Amino acid sequence: MTIQISEAGNLPAALTTFVGRRRDLAEVRRRLGTTRLLTLTGMGGAGKTRLALEVAAASATDFADGVWLVDLAPVWDPSLVANAVASALGVPDLGTRPVIDQLATFLARRGPLIVLDNCEHLVDACAELAHALLSASFGLRVLATSRRALGIYGEHVFAIPPLEPDDAVELLRDRASAVRPEFQVTGGNRGQLLRLCDGLDWLPLAIELAASRLRSLTVNEAVNRLEDRFGLLASGSRVARPRQRTLRGLIDWSHELCTPAERLLWNRLSVFAGDFGLDAAEAVCGGDGIGRDQVLDLLDRLVVQSIVVPTEREGLPRYRLLETIREYGRERLAESGQEQQTLRRHHDFYLALAERIADVWYVPVRQENLTRLHAEHANLRAALVQGGDPQATLALAAALRFHWCEGGFLGEGRRWLDRALAAAPEPTPARARALWVAALVAVLQRDHARANRWLDEAAELGERLDYRVVCAYVQSLRGALALYGGRLEEAVSLLEVAAAVHMGTGEEIGAVYALILMATAQTHLGDPRATETCRQAVALAEAHDELLVRAHAQSVLGYDTWRRGDREEALALMRTALENAQGFNDYVRVALMLEKFAWITADDGRHKRAGQLLGAARVLWRVTDTDVSGFGPHMVDRHAQCEADIVRALGPAAYEKLLAEGGRRRPDEAIAYALRTESEPTVTTPAPNPLTPREQEVAALVAKGMSNQQIASALGRSPRTVHGHVENILAKLGFGSRARIASWWTANQAPTP
């Protein structure tokens, strides 16, 4: 049994202090320790998200597999809820299985806390997902926020109460002092501040919006203006004013107090899904009343007024609107008659961004471009949905080919391409490009039948349009299919032509890939030209300063070097290839590199390490829903020979143990694990299990989310006895909550081979 330590998670850094709600924080944490699904409910502006994030941050040490935020506000298609969770957890969507099944497999032996934020518009999809994932992972905990409960068995609900008066005044003071540093709560103004907060129904968002106005208003002026607006503050009546109307009225007031340009920007920003960058805001919102050079200044003004929130994603500075504020702005945008025009600008900006990145993909800033596309994922989805021109949408789906193939979104990319191709059947250049991209995605997913269908149409359309780039990619992908089908001579013949056509069109990177595939086939054939082909591919990749393509070429060269008898040089090349592949989500090719690394390592006599490397590769094969057989019978033979060598040297039991050891890593940790030398300590360290057999039984039931009463019934013991066992477990493991017991138990079970 081993204990795995992980500091994984993706919680954003808080930009403002968390004020008050200490009692609520403690109560939610207590409930999270005794239930596996807890939903925080309340109206918009009640503070659900902020409380959930504070609970999650405070609970981070309770979950060895991390605490993960999934923001569902920008997701409007119920079928994409599982994709949003996978993206947040870093689980690539590469296989052909439904994403929810891939998630269930990934979480089966893990025990993280997942925060599903803003579920109200996707309640059914969130309920289905929570049920499926909680059923698959006994260690998983889900903390949801929603305006209404998910309504599934086992859900516990915590209704967010209004702020306590002292907390409300402190929140008002904290936020007001940010825009007016000299602001203080005194004996002279405390009564008016309480009156102001009471008139705002103690709603956090309403109080924050009001606080931003104290930059230019006194407390008395703010109270009087709100009293005039609502006509209710003096009487304190609640009959005619539900809390929703209070917040709506305050947002109306905030909107009216903005300048015309500020209101216009607020409305236009509502078309963004989630957060956005300054360049996007300038392109989409500038013009017709707002100069592009005015956007930054207007954004700063809206930040001061708590309308826009500065944030960060993937290390990039970003902005966002709170969902309640965004919904209001979208209503006003629709009323103005500018909604469709703004949506077209949004689509045009992201199409131009995708095409610009695709055109310069193979340059030193490739990783930066991949990061940018990942940060824009929600807006790219929105652009694909909202594009009015089917041909433009098809062009966008094709331009995102690197995002789909190397960003970890193969499955989603395939769905968008299928949808776009069906909606735009006209024989255009955009369709020709999308056809070969769709074929590429199908090849990477090992769906050779679908790939051949797309390639047949792409070949015919490419010839008709005299589109030589498309014809070159068709030839190259047909060569790949021949290689993976074990037709090695045919593959070499096709790929020789493909490389020549690519070079003739100036698509040198297309030529590199064709050369890499050709060298692979030549190596397995024992063709003496393989070494020179490998060197050409490496040189061409280096000329473009292209790390990932260079890694692929170096991997093939390493394999060829091994076949020629130079193990030491082969191992050095494989390590270099893996180092260059770090930071990308190209799990399929990394799995191939690990396979070859294992084969060479076993041939070097280090059978233990080879078994661990095959275990690390197996994690990636499972995540990508494929295995080495997808790359041809020649690869299957080499894999089988390596396994036989390891079993012959160490025995089958030891081999299974090594596979399990190598397989305990997250997919994104596989390369770092492979590059670790055998003398270095592993991330996991053996530790004896300190629990008695009875305590282990109790820990297993705690991990299933059972209460002490339920455990007592299951084991035929009294609740007091079970309570004593739980206390002993907590003391022995040094934990402070039941959630940590569940996480520890899940992490320390023997993995299934």
Side-chain angles (χ1 to χ4, degrees):
M1 181 173 287
T2 58
I3 295 178
Q4 290 183 301
I5 304 298
S6 171
E7 297 180 357
N10 70 338
L11 294 184
L15 298 178
T16 57
T17 55
F18 180 73
V19 177
R21 292 206 185 278
R22 296 300 167 187
R23 188 179 305 169
D24 297 336
L25 178 62
E27 177 60 16
V28 173
R29 287 199 68 192
R30 186 192 69 79
R31 294 194 188 188
L32 195 59
T34 60
T35 184
R36 301 182 61 216
L37 171 60
L38 178 61
T39 302
L40 308 185
T41 61
M43 61 170 288
K48 301 182 295 296
T49 295
R50 190 58 195 271
L51 179 58
L53 290 176
E54 199 68 19
V55 168
S59 305
T61 57
D62 294 341
F63 294 92
D65 291 311
V67 177
W68 304 88
L69 171 66
V70 183
D71 182 11
L72 295 173
V75 179
W76 286 94
D77 184 344
S79 69
L80 293 176
V81 170
N83 295 74
V85 175
S87 180
L89 268 65
V91 178
D93 175 18
L94 303 177
T96 55
R97 289 186 302 151
V99 179
I100 195 168
D101 293 346
Q102 297 180 50
L103 274 172
T105 299
F106 176 79
L107 291 170
R109 307 209 64 81
R110 293 178 169 86
L113 170 63
I114 296 178
V115 181
L116 294 178
D117 192 29
N118 294 301
C119 298
E120 52 273 348
H121 59 299
L122 300 161
V123 166
D124 291 342
C126 289
E128 179 184 349
L129 176 113
H131 176 75
L133 298 187
L134 288 168
S135 299
S137 170
F138 289 133
L140 173 65
R141 295 289 189 277
V142 175
L143 178 62
T145 74
S146 179
R147 296 178 192 177
R148 57 193 179 102
L150 303 188
I152 63 174
Y153 178 76
E155 177 186 26
H156 289 225
V157 176
F158 181 85
I160 302 287
L163 283 172
E164 295 289 335
D166 287 346
D167 289 345
V169 171
E170 176 57 20
L171 177 63
L172 187 64
R173 184 209 63 78
D174 182 83
R175 301 304 190 256
S177 64
V179 296
R180 187 174 164 186
E182 71 276 11
F183 182 83
Q184 294 181 353
V185 178
T186 67
N189 67 11
R190 184 176 178 81
Q192 284 291 75
L193 290 172
L194 284 168
R195 186 179 178 194
L196 178 61
C197 294
D198 182 41
L200 296 172
D201 289 331
W202 316 103
L203 280 169
L205 177 56
I207 291 169
E208 294 203 22
L209 290 173
S212 72
R213 291 301 163 191
L214 296 180
R215 178 171 53 110
S216 54
L217 298 175
T218 67
V219 176
N220 286 339
E221 287 172 335
V223 170
N224 291 334
R225 289 190 179 219
L226 286 172
E227 182 175 322
D228 291 342
R229 180 165 199 90
F230 294 136
L232 294 169
L233 288 179
S235 66
S237 168
R238 292 289 178 271
V239 176
R241 186 188 53 177
R243 298 176 77 208
Q244 289 89 339
R245 288 181 56 190
T246 298
L247 182 60
R248 175 70 184 209
L250 191 68
I251 297 176
D252 278 335
W253 185 51
S254 296
H255 196 263
E256 291 169 13
L257 290 176
C258 289
T259 66
E262 290 168 354
R263 287 197 293 268
L264 198 55
L265 181 60
W266 176 350
N267 298 346
R268 291 176 180 175
L269 290 174
S270 68
V271 301
F272 287 104
D275 49 59
F276 51 88
L278 175 60
D279 59 340
E282 289 174 336
V284 175
C285 303
D288 297 329
I290 300 178
R292 287 182 63 127
D293 58 348
Q294 294 179 284
V295 171
L296 177 57
D297 180 58
L298 291 171
L299 273 172
D300 286 341
R301 289 193 230 164
L302 292 178
V303 167
V304 171
Q305 297 172 57
S306 297
I307 303 303
V308 171
V309 180
T311 185
E312 183 180 287
R313 183 181 296 274
E314 306 286 342
L316 302 173
R318 312 277 288 175
Y319 300 90
R320 62 186 286 264
L321 300 177
L322 295 177
E323 186 59 16
T324 304
I325 299 296
R326 191 200 67 79
E327 290 172 354
Y328 181 91
R330 191 63 173 265
E331 289 179 20
R332 288 305 184 97
L333 183 65
E335 290 170 3
S336 72
Q338 294 186 0
E339 184 177 32
Q340 292 306 312
Q341 177 188 10
T342 310
L343 288 173
R344 281 195 297 274
R345 287 179 174 175
H346 180 276
H347 182 275
D348 292 346
F349 172 80
Y350 285 103
L351 173 59
L353 175 69
E355 290 183 333
R356 183 169 67 251
I357 288 177
D359 289 342
V360 297
W361 185 253
Y362 299 104
V363 295
V365 294
R366 172 180 181 155
Q367 188 60 53
E368 295 174 23
N369 287 336
L370 192 63
T371 299
R372 174 66 189 274
L373 290 175
H374 198 274
E376 299 289 2
H377 190 65
N379 279 300
L380 293 170
R381 280 178 178 159
L384 286 164
V385 170
Q386 296 164 171
D389 177 5
Q391 288 292 328
T393 299
L394 189 62
L396 176 57
L400 290 171
R401 56 188 177 275
F402 299 111
H403 183 53
W404 306 138
C405 297
E406 297 178 17
F409 299 103
L410 263 185
E412 185 174 343
R414 177 169 178 169
R415 290 186 287 275
W416 286 119
L417 285 161
D418 286 351
R419 186 183 304 180
L421 284 164
E426 298 80 11
T428 62
R431 183 172 180 83
R433 288 192 301 274
L435 284 167
W436 83 254
V437 174
L440 170 63
V441 170
V443 168
L444 292 175
Q445 288 192 316
R446 308 292 159 251
D447 188 349
H448 294 181
R450 175 64 67 89
N452 276 312
R453 287 200 295 274
W454 289 137
L455 288 173
D456 287 345
E457 185 181 349
E460 187 275 328
L461 188 54
E463 290 291 341
R464 191 195 316 178
L465 298 174
D466 194 24
Y467 203 156
R468 297 185 66 215
V469 169
V470 169
C471 293
Y473 277 109
V474 168
Q475 192 82 350
S476 187
L477 289 169
R478 282 180 168 164
L481 290 172
L483 171 63
Y484 301 151
R487 305 186 307 277
L488 301 181
E489 292 87 352
E490 179 187 345
V492 170
S493 176
L494 288 166
L495 291 163
E496 280 180 326
V497 174
V501 176
H502 274 300
M503 292 297 288
T505 63
E507 283 271 327
E508 291 190 348
I509 287 299
V512 174
Y513 274 116
L515 289 170
I516 290 171
L517 293 169
M518 182 167 64
T520 301
Q522 289 172 332
T523 298
H524 285 287
L525 286 169
D527 189 328
R529 297 176 298 170
T531 303
E532 180 56 31
T533 306
C534 287
R535 295 191 191 284
Q536 288 179 30
V538 172
L540 206 49
E542 288 177 345
H544 286 270
D545 199 15
E546 216 308 306
L547 276 181
L548 188 57
V549 179
R550 190 191 311 173
H552 300 165
Q554 289 165 333
S555 170
V556 177
L557 181 57
Y559 182 70
D560 175 68
T561 302
W562 173 54
R563 291 291 298 269
R564 289 186 287 106
D566 191 342
R567 277 198 306 264
E568 185 175 347
E569 177 65 14
L571 287 168
L573 283 165
M574 294 306 302
R575 291 182 66 86
T576 301
L578 286 166
E579 287 168 357
N580 287 334
Q582 290 184 100
F584 299 95
N585 285 320
D586 198 349
Y587 289 168
V588 171
R589 292 190 180 96
V590 170
L592 283 171
M593 291 181 195
L594 291 177
E595 282 278 346
K596 295 172 185 175
F597 197 15
W599 303 346
I600 302 170
T601 300
D603 187 51
D604 197 39
R606 291 178 292 132
H607 298 98
K608 177 180 177 182
R609 186 59 177 156
Q612 293 170 333
L613 291 171
L614 288 179
R618 187 168 67 170
V619 172
L620 300 183
W621 291 132
R622 286 176 174 173
V623 167
T624 56
D625 199 23
T626 186
D627 56 46
V628 74
S629 67
F631 296 87
H634 46 284
M635 298 292 286
V636 174
D637 292 343
R638 280 290 176 187
H639 177 87
Q641 182 178 333
C642 180
E643 284 193 314
D645 289 345
I646 297 171
V647 170
R648 189 162 42 248
L650 303 175
Y655 175 52
E656 290 299 324
K657 185 177 180 181
L658 292 169
L659 284 176
E661 164 62 25
R664 288 197 182 102
R665 304 302 178 279
R666 288 172 52 88
D668 54 4
E669 298 169 342
I671 292 179
Y673 177 69
L675 292 175
R676 178 185 62 79
T677 64
E678 288 175 281
S679 61
E680 292 174 333
T682 62
V683 180
T684 61
T685 55
N689 183 352
L691 305 185
T692 66
R694 176 62 73 186
E695 287 167 351
Q696 291 183 50
E697 285 185 292
V698 172
L701 296 177
V702 168
K704 293 182 179 181
M706 295 174 67
S707 66
N708 284 357
Q709 183 66 53
Q710 291 171 321
I711 295 172
S713 298
L715 298 180
R717 296 290 187 272
S718 70
R720 173 176 287 186
T721 299
V722 171
H723 175 75
H725 284 315
V726 172
E727 292 300 310
N728 287 340
I729 294 168
L730 291 170
K732 287 181 177 182
L733 299 178
F735 294 160
S737 72
R738 297 168 71 94
R740 287 209 67 182
I741 296 175
S743 182
W744 175 87
W745 181 261
T746 302
N748 287 282
Q749 299 315 293
T752 303

